[in-house]
Each structure stands twice: as structure tokens, then as C-alpha cells.
Amino acid sequence: MLGAVNPPVFENSLFAFATAEELGEAVRNEDERYVYWRGTNPTVDLAQRKLAALERGERAKCFGSGMGAISATVSSLVSAGDHVLVLGAVYGPTTQFLRYLEKFGVTHTHVDDLGGCDSAIRSSTRLLYFESPSYMAYAVVDIAEVAAWARERGLVSVMDNTWSTPIFQKPLTMGVDLVVHSLSKYVGGHSDLVGGVVVGPSRLIRPLALTEYQLYGAAMSPHDAAKVIKGLRTLPVRMAAHQERGLAVAAFLEGHPAVRAVHHPGLPSHPGHATALRQMSGFSSLFSLVLNTESRQDVASFLDKLRYFRIGVSWGGFESLVNAPALSTEESVRATMGIPVGLVRLSVGLEPADELIKDLDHALEASLA
Ligand SMILES: Cc1ncc(COP(=O)(O)O)c(C=O)c1O
């Protein structure tokens, strides 16, 4: 419109109709017609079409947060008495949401691998949920194998693809039914947005767009959709830079005597590296390392000595971030998840890699030498 290089932001909470009959028809098809912002909005729609195309899905629905997308997606697929399989480690609040569903009679079981799925599946199992690479440990799941296993048993598979972004991994092309993302990470890319999306076939997206999206009210705003569209424009370039810096930092840490392990699927030493190379075209820059210590004090001292890496939650923005479950997660939860005291998570940002390496080297020497 008007030769504008940026799409307009439709700041309309409602849209008016020429006749009452037209309004009625629009309300019945509110997933596709513009009626009210809590249901649809043209700017949000544009972001959705771009995300669907990038993930190779038929349709996408954007939400006001990643958890909005995850909770609406899971709720749309289960009823009282149903069972969910969770494969590998997943984002903490996703597990909390599954626990919350217990009060509505929906149960779940966490398993480590497909052998565990074979043992835990029930006649009431409807859904298989997973992430790859997995949360905090960055273990790689064979996506095509897991998706085929679910399909053969009539389950819907849902995968969180936030870590890789659709630039580096496209799970729908490997047989996964629905992909969810937090757009608050790399897709937004500037730590100024919270959003989420689910992508997949119309037969699964339409019902949740008409029901859970409308009723839970986790709508994306057109302003955030405009930021998503901007983020998508530079996503391939930013991901290439994140990959390069992340791998340089991970390789440095792997050789440091104060570091016991580095969990980055892009390192040849990672147990899932070969599978990762088969199903991913690149690696993001969120990974974990294990410091050579059992002391929370040492971990705190390491974090406090860093200058470039800011201490905080979330990830995927310009600025490098550091977080440690021993300091930020309840002790019992950390122990149940099998996360060692010395585990530290890094989100490598877009600052020069040599500066980030100097920063880490100094903090390791100063806190653990
Ligand atoms: C892997 C993963 N999935 C989903 C979410 C939830 O996204 P949001 O914070 O946008 O609700 C997060 C947030 O940290 C995440 O790390």
C-alpha cells in the first residue's frame, strides 16, 4: 500500500460490517474473517502466513506468548481421561501446565526414549510432546523416527522448535503434526517481544483458532506481530551469526580445564551430533556447560565475574545471557531433573566472539582457578 516497504500495523480492536448478515457470517468463520482483535487481526495474519510458509505448514496461529501457544495447543487435543507422553526434557512451564491439566483428568508420563514410549503408551494416549534439542541438556531426538512412531499409533505429535527456529530445522517436513515456538527468543531477536505460534495442518489449527485462542484470550497484538515480521526479515542473517559465535565459544569452553562438559549439539563430541547433522541445517547459540565444581558459591562467583554475559532468563536476543539452575531453580526440581550443580546455560549473543571468550576465560580463572 502506497509503496510502503513495511506493512501497515492494523490498530483496530474491531472491524465494522455493511450488513448484519455479513457480521453473522464473519463471526461464524472468525478464524479467517476480521471481527475483533482477540480473534484475528490483519497484521497478525501476515505474521502467521510468513511463519506458516517458513515452517512449511498449511496454517499458523500466533499467540501472546509461547506458553499461550503451548497451553492452547495441548488443551485442544485432549479431553478428560486422556493421557500425554512427554519425550525427553521439555521447558519447565510446559511440564507445569501438564501437571495443571491433572485437575481436569488429563494425565501424562515423562519418558527418556522410544523404548520408554513403548512401555508407557496406553489406550487413552492421544499426544506425544517433545523438544529437539531438549531443554537444558540439548540432547538430540531423531525427529522422523519419533514422528513415525506416533503416527503409526494414531497419536498427534507436537514439537517445540524454538531452539533451532524454522531457519535451521523444519519438523513438519519430517512428519511431526504440529510445531510450537516461543517467538520471544530468536524470531523476535531483540528482547522486546513476547509471543508464540503453532503451525500445522488446517484440520488441527482451525479448531484451536476458533476455540482455545478465543477463550483463553492469549491474543497477539498487531504491534508484536509487526515486530515478528521485522524479526523474520533478519532471522537468517542473525542465525548465521549466532551459530558462528556460539560454536566458537563452545569450542573454547570444551578445551578449558575448569569445564567438565559442554552440551552443544553442533560440537562433534556431542552424542547427538550425527543425528543433528541429518535433520538440522545449522545450530543456534543456546547451550550449557558444566563447571568443574559442586559448590553453588563457585557458580555464583562465576556468574558475578562475567561482564558481557548479563545474568537473566530467556534467550535469543542481541545480548549474551547467562543463567544457572543451581541459583535460579528450586533445589528439588533441579535434582529431579538430574541437572548438576555446576550446570550453566549460555545464550551467546551477537557481540564479537573474541570478546565473549575473553570474558568467559577471565571469569573462569577468577572464580574456579
Ligand atoms: C523452549 C521454550 N519453549 C517455550 C517457551 C515459552 O515461551 P514464552 O516465554 O514466550 O511463553 C520458552 C521460554 O523460555 C522456551 O525456552
Side-chain angles (χ1 to χ4, degrees):
M1 194 201 287
L2 304 172
V5 294
N6 287 313
V9 179
F10 280 83
E11 206 176 31
N12 296 274
S13 67
L14 69 99
F15 294 81
F17 294 87
T19 65
E21 197 175 328
E22 240 184 66
L23 168 64
E25 195 273 327
V27 167
R28 284 189 294 281
N29 296 290
E30 211 177 331
D31 62 318
E32 284 176 334
R33 301 291 306 276
Y34 304 124
V35 178
Y36 185 55
W37 166 339
R38 179 158 49 74
T40 39
N41 172 278
T43 312
V44 177
D45 222 13
L46 185 58
Q48 286 168 178
R49 278 187 270 131
K50 288 178 184 297
L51 285 159
L54 204 52
E55 272 291 6
R56 306 287 185 267
E58 221 177 330
R59 254 176 108 166
K61 192 71 193 162
C62 281
F63 288 76
S65 71
M67 275 317 296
I70 292 167
S71 56
T73 301
V74 172
S75 326
S76 80
L77 296 167
V78 293
S79 304
D82 286 349
H83 174 250
V84 177
L85 278 174
V86 183
L87 174 63
V90 299
Y91 179 55
T94 302
T95 300
Q96 280 172 31
F97 179 70
L98 289 164
R99 276 199 216 111
Y100 170 81
L101 284 182
E102 285 169 9
K103 76 175 185 175
F104 300 110
V106 176
T107 53
H108 67 279
T109 310
H110 280 273
V111 294
D112 293 332
D113 50 28
L114 278 186
C117 287
D118 278 326
S119 314
I121 191 169
R122 307 175 189 167
S123 57
S124 58
T125 308
R126 297 280 167 266
L127 176 64
L128 175 69
Y129 188 99
F130 67 109
E131 294 180 18
S132 183
S134 71
Y135 193 64
M136 287 289 180
Y138 308 102
V140 178
V141 174
D142 187 324
I143 298 172
E145 187 184 27
V146 166
W149 184 93
R151 188 150 296 187
E152 281 157 21
R153 286 153 185 84
L155 313 187
V156 177
S157 54
V158 180
M159 193 193 131
D160 185 329
N161 195 31
T162 308
W163 193 91
S164 300
T165 82
I167 299 299
F168 287 153
Q169 184 165 266
K170 299 190 193 300
L172 298 177
T173 66
M174 297 176 231
V176 169
D177 292 308
L178 288 170
V179 163
V180 288
H181 282 275
S182 168
L183 301 172
S184 329
K185 319 299 177 194
Y186 292 112
V187 173
H190 297 82
S191 308
D192 60 356
L193 149 77
V194 172
V197 71
V198 52
V199 193
S202 286
R203 73 183 161 82
L204 295 176
I205 301 292
R206 185 160 200 260
L208 73 84
L210 283 170
T211 307
E212 283 77 14
Y213 189 80
Q214 289 275 4
L215 300 184
Y216 289 170
M220 172 171 275
S221 85
H223 309 102
D224 284 341
K227 286 183 195 163
V228 167
I229 293 164
K230 277 190 192 144
L232 288 174
R233 288 179 169 187
T234 56
L235 187 59
V237 181
R238 287 187 286 108
M239 291 316 292
H242 277 295
Q243 165 165 254
E244 185 196 313
R245 286 156 173 77
L247 282 169
V249 170
F252 160 76
L253 289 168
E254 199 173 33
H256 199 287
V259 175
R260 198 174 292 167
V262 179
H263 304 302
H264 186 314
L267 291 176
S269 59
H270 188 283
H273 186 62
T275 309
L277 287 179
R278 258 200 340 264
Q279 63 192 23
M280 299 161 79
S281 58
F283 301 97
S284 76
S285 59
L286 180 80
F287 63 95
S288 58
L289 60 131
V290 183
L291 296 172
N292 219 344
T293 182
E294 300 302 327
S295 146
R296 291 174 79 249
Q297 201 51 49
D298 284 351
V299 177
S301 161
F302 171 67
L303 263 59
D304 291 343
K305 298 254 163 23
L306 288 163
R307 282 176 48 246
Y308 273 113
F309 286 85
R310 316 273 296 273
I311 303 171
V313 299
S314 198
W315 42 281
F318 167 83
E319 64 289 339
S320 289
L321 290 166
V322 62
N323 194 358
L327 308 172
S328 64
T329 307
E330 219 177 286
E331 191 52 22
S332 59
V333 175
R334 184 190 62 73
T336 315
M337 288 178 77
I339 296 174
V341 172
L343 188 128
V344 170
R345 186 181 79 174
L346 298 181
S347 171
V348 174
L350 295 176
E351 303 94 340
D354 55 343
E355 294 296 336
L356 296 175
I357 288 171
K358 264 191 251 166
D359 193 21
L360 289 161
D361 197 23
H362 169 259
L364 286 170
E365 294 302 324
S367 57
L368 287 154

